[in-house]
Amino acid sequence: MASLDDLKKRISSVKSTQKITKAMKMVAAAKLRKAQEGAEKGRPYSDKMNNIILNLSLNISDKENAPKLLVGSGNDKVHLCVVMTSDRGLCGGFNSNIIKKAKNYFQKKQDEGKTIKIITVGAKGYDQLKRQFESQIIDRISFKDSKNANYFDAEKVGKIIIEKFLKMEFDVCTIFYNQFKNVISQIPQEQQIIPLKIKEADNISEENYDFEPEEGEILSNLLPKNISTQLFRAMLENSASEQGSRMSAMDNATRNAGEMVDKLTIEYNRSRQAAITKELIEIISGAESL
């Protein structure tokens, strides 16, 4: 049995940890409001951009000369996977859920005989993937110094992806991230951004438009922006999901710490009572022997 002094130190230590987890929960809750607002505002913009491009693509008459970012390289051999996670931990299963989704995709494509290349955006993704897929990780990106998700960071990642595509280093690009649903629920996503999937255009208007300049020229300008836009949306969704997951995890940790303090306090009181009883018995036994 632990001594009274040890139990007292453990209670003090758990209480200190409880204060930290409670403070982290409050910080995450404050950040979540802004992150959630950003994610919700970003969805209509990215969806509209996607639909405009898909609408334009349906009006292209010369499919063979369409921009490669739209129709792809014509092959399906090399898959670039951009795994987007956080740079910080203590956020429950946020990172693990994205990694699990990505690993299932890796396994599926490798079973089909495809080549996998990986870019990690976020330190935690690299830490988890390097044990098994280090040889396939071709780039690792971290935005630890960025306080909030922003378009400029998304554009940097987008330029890296486009540069590698123009160098014919891959055929298909898919991004992995968490879509924010609520504080306790984030849904891992797998989204192909190169080439753009035509079947995603469910709500495209059937009206006919005349485009000036030609559709191909407009797409050449819009497609790179769309890749950055989809990446930015993924970052916004991840930011909200991370704070929601951290808030939930820290809330659970705070409650668990409280339960542990209660148990340790009961154990401490019992041990203290046993020690007092033992001392009384010794005093009484000593008095009776005189």
Side-chain angles (χ1 to χ4, degrees), residues 173-192:
C173 179
T174 305
I175 61 175
F176 299 86
Y177 62 95
N178 264 333
Q179 183 180 15
F180 178 80
K181 186 175 180 182
N182 53 50
V183 174
I184 59 173
S185 179
Q186 298 86 36
I187 307 168
Q189 298 293 311
E190 164 193 318
Q191 181 183 348
Q192 182 178 307

Side-chain angles (χ1 to χ4, degrees), residues 43 47 81-85 93-106 173-181 185-193 197 200 230 233-238 241:
R43 289 170 190 167
D47 289 341
C81 303
V82 182
V83 183
M84 308 176 74
T85 58
F94 168 76
N95 292 309
S96 299
N97 291 337
I98 298 173
I99 297 301
K100 183 179 179 182
K101 181 82 171 177
K103 283 184 175 180
N104 289 338
Y105 181 88
F106 300 163
C173 179
T174 305
I175 61 175
F176 299 86
Y177 62 95
N178 264 333
Q179 183 180 15
F180 178 80
K181 186 175 180 182
S185 179
Q186 298 86 36
I187 307 168
Q189 298 293 311
E190 164 193 318
Q191 181 183 348
Q192 182 178 307
I193 58 174
K197 282 190 175 180
E200 292 177 3
Q230 300 306 320
R233 174 184 178 173
M235 286 181 174
L236 290 172
E237 295 283 355
N238 259 5
S241 298

Side-chain angles (χ1 to χ4, degrees), residues 19 45 65 104 176 213:
K19 288 179 182 178
Y45 182 82
N65 293 320
N104 289 338
F176 299 86

